[in-house]
Amino acid sequence: MSHLKRRTMLGAAGAAALVSLAGCGDDDDQAKGQDYTGHRDGAMDGYGMGQQFTAAQPLTFSIMMLSNAAYPYKADWLFFKELAKRTNVTLQATVVPGSDYNQKRSVVVAAGDAPMIIPKTYHPDEEAYIASGAILPVSDHLDLMPNFRDQVAKWNLQADLDQFRQEDGKFYLLPGLHEDVWADYALAVRTDVLQQLGLQIPKTWEDLRTVLRAMKAAHPDVYPLSDRWSSPPNPGGNNLLSIAGTAYGTLAGWSYQHASWDDAAKAFVYTGTTPQYKQVVEYLNSLVAEKLVDPESFTQSDDIAKQKFANGRSFVMSCNAQTLVNELRPSIAKIPGATVLKIPTPTGPMGDTKAGSRLEGGVMISAKARDSKNFVALMQFMDWLYYSPQGKVFAKWGVEGTTYTGSVDDGTMKLAPDVNWGGLNPAGTKNLQVEYGFLNGVFVYGGTTKLLNSQFPKEEQAFQDVMNGRKNQPLAPPHPLNADEREQATLWETTLKDHVNQQTLKFILGQRPLSEWDAYVSELKGKNMTRYIEVVNAAYNRYKRAHG
């Protein structure tokens, strides 16, 4: 999973949800006013929830296609052949390497040359294209997407969806919809070292301190925790701060957002100055001071962090499900008896909770698509592929009997004997992504918890069971800025974020004493922090008055 994807799945922690039931109602009213006369060619009559979409005539839709370095684009993938067979739709791809995707997307959208379908867009990136009218307000057309509407209603996603709404009450990005908050990024711990020292898997951050102290006492020449995903331009321990932030009820690391909701005050406050944020900084500072955490954790490259872990110079580091299997386990294979496990994120003052939105990045639709005679068919196709149970299983698992057997519902899903992915079937010689084009990040978004878990090994399912048992921290109420506010806020955010990153790092490393915290807050005020929060609160109050 990309860091961008992770960033968008983490929402505002420690916030009070504003369940905007008016949101879906607004969409209904807007949809009723749409006239699709002349735009129904190829559409299905009576297309409904759970129904296989098959265009009434062969159709071709253009799509911007990210080519992932791990599974480069192939025009002859089984995915495309089977998709055309099932839906009567051929995708005409504009193929872009992943490293160039965001820049290329900006250029073609700004020039008015974007394909109809623009996937791999992460909120709030879509906001850059709204004022020009280049992308479609997709919330105006949910009457054409019965599966999308069903999931929003069934999973009570209205408050989550409000996070994507703009000042006009509409949203312009079709997000991935998850049944529950998906937690993936956590800490990997050398379990053989735990066993040697008679230690249990830490459940809280204070338990982790105890574990690290015992590791340090037994191995004084190592830093027990040496972390990754922290190199410039994002110094500061992206994942480590993020998961610690959740435990303390704040937004830190790569889940950092400038504004946090203070439910007691019924207003937004600046995240980097809150008591909760300071607690995270103080905790990590204390670990560095005790030499339990490698001070290079917050700036070193991934390769260096992985080398330290592989050579037994550290025992704990950040991971996700894929890096655990594909990187960390192979890297320690040369250490006799070495074992590593991804542990549930430690808890703190917020108790057994997790933070995040149940939405993830998704798909923009070019505004030009609305003029197409095939527009209704396009939206039906999008609804089937991205939101129907059948479409999700197809995009994720492939073709029954060819790439998989079994059922999601009864938990019997497994890859075909000759197919492998993520170490699920090591004997398989054909990679599900590389050879067949399934499980492609362009097409796989969201879904039920059962579907999400269906491709996890048993240990990852056990991790997910623990995390799914935790209560979701409420989301912040919507506070969309208008175009002028967004332009000004973006300028402020750059300066503010740079200062928060730099000073957070100095505080954690002990390069700046925590006694200077008040001075740090004053410095942020001098960088327009107060004006920024005033704009955010004005937007919140304006939206609340207009939309309830």
Side-chain angles (χ1 to χ4, degrees):
M1 173 187 283
S2 72
H3 298 172
L4 278 172
K5 185 174 180 181
R6 173 63 177 171
R7 172 175 58 82
T8 58
M9 290 188 62
L10 289 165
L18 177 68
V19 181
S20 178
L21 297 177
C24 272
D26 288 347
D27 295 333
D28 290 345
D29 294 339
Q30 292 156 5
K32 289 175 183 176
Q34 297 293 326
D35 182 3
Y36 298 118
T37 304
H39 303 283
R40 294 184 176 274
D41 286 13
M44 284 182 62
D45 291 333
Y47 171 72
M49 187 181 66
Q51 186 176 357
Q52 171 65 53
F53 168 77
T54 304
Q57 63 192 54
L59 299 176
T60 298
F61 296 135
S62 57
I63 185 170
M64 192 165 178
M65 185 80 196
L66 182 148
S67 181
N68 193 304
Y71 44 95
Y73 168 84
K74 296 178 182 178
D76 62 350
W77 270 334
L78 178 61
F79 173 87
F80 294 119
K81 296 176 182 177
E82 186 68 20
L83 183 68
K85 178 181 176 182
R86 296 188 185 195
T87 66
N88 212 13
V89 169
T90 299
L91 292 178
Q92 180 181 353
T94 298
V95 183
V96 182
S99 58
D100 300 329
Y101 190 81
N102 287 355
Q103 181 179 3
K104 177 70 171 179
R105 182 187 62 203
S106 296
V107 171
V108 298
V109 173
D113 297 328
M116 285 186 173
I117 305 169
I118 313 167
K120 298 298 286 185
T121 300
Y122 299 96
H123 180 72
D125 290 354
E126 81 279 11
E127 293 177 353
Y129 314 116
I130 293 173
S132 67
I135 59 172
L136 193 72
V138 288
S139 58
D140 282 356
H141 306 286
L142 298 185
D143 59 321
L144 304 177
M145 306 186 71
N147 289 289
F148 180 97
R149 290 166 60 84
D150 176 68
Q151 287 173 21
V152 170
K154 183 167 55 181
W155 298 340
N156 194 26
L157 291 169
Q158 291 91 346
D160 298 73
L161 207 54
D162 281 345
Q163 308 298 308
F164 279 34
R165 292 186 187 275
Q166 302 302 311
E167 186 185 20
D168 58 8
K170 302 179 182 184
F171 56 90
Y172 292 73
L173 180 67
L174 286 171
L177 305 177
H178 284 268
E179 183 179 9
D180 199 357
V181 172
W182 176 31
D184 184 21
Y185 286 68
L187 293 175
V189 178
R190 280 276 302 275
T191 44
D192 61 309
V193 177
L194 292 182
Q195 293 170 0
Q196 291 167 8
L197 300 176
L199 301 170
Q200 299 297 316
I201 291 174
K203 294 184 178 180
T204 69
W205 286 96
E206 286 306 315
D207 290 344
L208 179 65
R209 185 197 302 276
T210 300
V211 165
L212 297 177
R213 282 174 173 167
M215 289 177 168
K216 182 70 174 179
H219 303 274
D221 58 333
V222 308
Y223 287 105
L225 194 162
S226 187
D227 214 16
R228 65 184 305 180
W229 292 323
S230 301
S231 57
N234 296 303
N238 286 336
N239 179 59
L240 185 60
L241 265 75
S242 178
I243 58 178
T246 297
Y248 284 89
T250 191
L251 305 162
W254 58 24
S255 62
Y256 185 82
Q257 295 176 23
H258 292 276
S260 296
W261 179 249
D262 184 332
D263 193 43
K266 300 300 180 187
F268 284 91
V269 295
Y270 193 75
T271 302
T273 64
T274 60
Q276 296 90 338
Y277 191 87
K278 184 181 180 183
Q279 285 179 318
V280 173
V281 172
E282 289 173 332
Y283 174 80
L284 292 175
N285 166 266
S286 70
L287 296 186
V288 171
E290 289 190 55
K291 301 186 183 305
L292 305 179
V293 170
D294 184 353
E296 295 181 359
S297 292
F298 306 94
T299 53
Q300 68 189 353
S301 70
D302 281 12
D303 286 342
I304 291 175
K306 289 187 290 185
Q307 287 172 12
K308 291 177 179 178
F309 193 82
N311 295 331
R313 292 167 53 203
S314 70
F315 305 128
V316 182
M317 73 180 301
S318 288
C319 77
N320 62 25
Q322 292 191 42
T323 60
L324 176 74
V325 173
N326 297 335
E327 297 177 2
L328 300 189
R329 286 209 169 118
S331 76
I332 61 171
K334 65 180 183 294
I335 301 176
T339 55
V340 59
L341 183 69
K342 173 184 167 186
I343 68 168
T345 55
T347 59
M350 295 298 291
D352 287 336
T353 62
K354 56 184 175 179
S357 170
R358 290 177 291 167
L359 309 185
E360 63 174 303
V363 185
M364 296 187 298
I365 302 294
S366 170
K368 295 189 300 184
R370 182 64 178 87
D371 299 326
S372 168
K373 62 182 181 180
N374 307 126
F375 176 70
V376 172
L378 170 66
M379 299 306 288
Q380 291 177 343
F381 169 77
M382 295 295 294
D383 182 67
W384 180 83
L385 178 57
Y386 286 94
Y387 300 103
S388 76
Q390 304 96 317
K392 286 180 179 296
V393 170
F394 166 72
K396 190 176 181 74
W397 278 91
V399 180
E400 186 175 7
T402 300
T403 59
Y404 78 92
T405 61
S407 166
V408 170
D409 292 335
D410 62 11
T412 59
M413 292 285 264
K414 62 180 180 179
L415 293 171
D418 61 342
V419 179
N420 186 27
W421 175 82
L424 279 181
N425 185 24
T429 57
K430 299 176 182 178
N431 186 283
L432 183 65
Q433 294 172 311
V434 176
E435 302 296 333
Y436 295 102
F438 297 105
L439 200 61
N440 190 311
V442 171
F443 303 107
V444 175
Y445 297 97
T448 64
T449 299
K450 276 189 176 181
L451 178 62
L452 182 66
N453 289 346
S454 65
Q455 281 182 326
F456 290 149
K458 289 183 178 180
E459 65 174 355
E460 177 63 18
Q461 290 183 19
F463 171 89
Q464 292 296 332
D465 286 344
V466 173
M467 299 304 295
N468 288 335
R470 296 182 180 179
K471 183 179 179 181
N472 295 334
Q473 294 178 12
L475 296 168
H479 48 282
L481 307 184
N482 60 37
D484 291 339
E485 290 168 339
R486 189 180 302 117
E487 182 178 2
Q488 179 61 73
T490 299
L491 296 176
W492 289 336
E493 285 175 344
T494 301
T495 303
L496 289 167
K497 182 67 175 294
D498 286 346
H499 197 68
V500 169
N501 276 346
Q502 293 165 7
Q503 301 311 307
T504 295
L505 186 56
K506 287 183 178 181
F507 282 131
I508 290 174
L509 296 180
Q511 296 171 354
R512 183 173 188 179
L514 283 161
S515 59
E516 293 186 10
W517 185 265
D518 289 344
Y520 153 73
V521 173
S522 295
E523 292 159 8
L524 289 173
K525 290 178 180 178
K527 299 179 185 299
N528 297 301
M529 177 192 78
T530 302
R531 293 175 65 192
Y532 176 85
I533 288 299
E534 287 173 350
V535 168
V536 170
N537 279 313
Y540 157 67
N541 287 311
R542 182 176 63 234
Y543 188 92
K544 184 178 180 181
R545 287 194 301 268
H547 303 286

